[in-house]
Amino acid sequence: MASTALLALCSAGAFSGLAVEAGAGVCHATPIYAGHSWQEATFRLDVAGSTLSRYLRDLLVAAFPDLQLRALPRKAITQLKKRCCYVSLDFEGDLLNPDRHHPATFCLGNGCSVCLSSERFRCPEPIFQPRLLGQTKPGLPALVFQALQKVPARLRTRLADTVVLAGGSTLFPGFTERLEMELEAQCRRHGYGALRPHLVAKPGRGTAVWTGGSMVASLRSFQCHWITRAMYQEYGSRLVHEVFN
């Protein structure tokens, strides 16, 4: 058992930093120092991949009422989201200017195809603006900043130097640039202009937690943390607490 935030950092070769996870279910911003999670400085956003897929379905139903897209399989919606959607660097400006919508056609596999316009960048926007889904929490950039703000001042710069992105929802084109832009704006707005967060966005970050776990499991120092099936059968569940605590 291990913190997914720590494993995300391990995938980037770090044991201290800030893990920004955006997967299927939730988003987290978790500071890690010397391999330990800072729970009181961890922030959660209940908008992630599954939420965005449902939102995209609603956008498509509104845009194409005659195609009965409400019954479209979730797998098709997910493929559409991955292939066509991107994060806008100027959401309001792009929304108001049709010349900046960059339409894309996607075949639904049932003989129909749809031409997406603003839906392409409206889909991932709730990660940055949860109010679009009726939520009152701030977006992910603000939560990342709050996580940095919560850690002791002496460690803030060190953790900001390694902001590791992890999870499939960080793979949208434009995600890294938008997060970096808004995070820097948050720092300036709140008097932390000298703080320069450095985002680490590796190509394989969609499976960063798995990669980090495989790296940790291969370390010699980790071998004492294994529990075999025979050991568990002999000592029971109390062994889990003894080994992992």
Side-chain angles (χ1 to χ4, degrees):
M1 298 174 67
S3 161
T4 57
L6 173 58
L7 297 181
L9 250 65
C10 290
S11 73
F15 284 93
S16 294
L18 178 66
V20 179
E21 301 172 89
V26 296
C27 292
H28 281 108
T30 309
I32 304 284
Y33 180 69
H36 298 282
S37 303
W38 220 298
Q39 293 300 325
E40 62 271 22
T42 297
F43 291 87
R44 166 178 171 151
L45 176 65
D46 291 319
V47 176
S50 297
T51 314
L52 300 181
S53 293
R54 292 192 294 270
Y55 184 51
L56 178 57
R57 185 192 300 273
D58 291 341
L59 292 174
L60 293 174
V61 168
F64 307 99
D66 298 332
L67 293 184
Q68 298 182 343
L69 297 178
R70 184 68 65 184
L72 198 64
R74 183 171 59 181
K75 183 177 180 180
I77 292 289
T78 301
Q79 290 176 341
L80 174 58
K81 179 183 68 175
K82 289 181 177 179
R83 293 182 187 178
C84 296
C85 294
Y86 65 93
V87 172
S88 169
L89 300 184
D90 178 15
F91 180 72
E92 280 73 20
D94 286 348
L95 199 59
L96 292 173
N97 188 348
D99 292 336
R100 292 158 58 176
H101 286 185
H102 309 298
T105 301
F106 181 81
C107 180
L108 299 176
N110 58 357
C112 297
S113 62
V114 292
C115 182
L116 278 72
S117 183
S118 64
E119 296 82 15
R120 296 186 66 195
F121 61 86
R122 289 169 67 191
C123 168
E125 187 63 22
I127 284 184
F128 298 88
Q129 298 192 66
R131 63 178 179 80
L132 295 173
L133 299 179
Q135 296 195 20
T136 57
K137 268 196 172 183
L140 187 59
L143 296 183
V144 174
F145 172 74
Q146 289 175 19
L148 285 172
Q149 200 176 28
K150 273 272 189 178
V151 301
R154 70 182 188 279
L155 299 177
R156 194 171 293 133
T157 299
R158 180 173 178 181
L159 299 189
D161 282 342
T162 310
V163 180
V164 177
L165 305 189
S169 294
T170 69
L171 293 172
F172 287 110
F175 183 97
T176 303
E177 294 82 357
R178 173 77 175 275
L179 180 59
E180 185 173 42
M181 180 177 70
E182 293 204 7
L183 185 52
E184 289 179 353
Q186 288 278 341
C187 291
R188 291 193 301 270
R189 188 178 305 125
H190 293 90
Y192 294 85
L195 193 64
R196 300 287 182 179
H198 173 67
L199 272 59
V200 180
K202 289 185 171 292
R205 60 188 179 275
T207 55
V209 172
W210 185 91
T211 301
S214 66
M215 293 169 65
V216 170
S218 67
L219 296 175
R220 181 175 298 177
S221 59
F222 185 78
Q223 303 313 306
C224 62
H225 295 292
W226 289 110
I227 292 180
T228 66
R229 181 179 181 183
M231 291 167 63
Y232 184 83
Q233 289 176 335
E234 181 176 355
Y235 297 103
S237 60
R238 67 179 177 84
L239 183 63
V240 175
H241 299 283
E242 291 176 6
V243 172
F244 294 109
N245 284 339

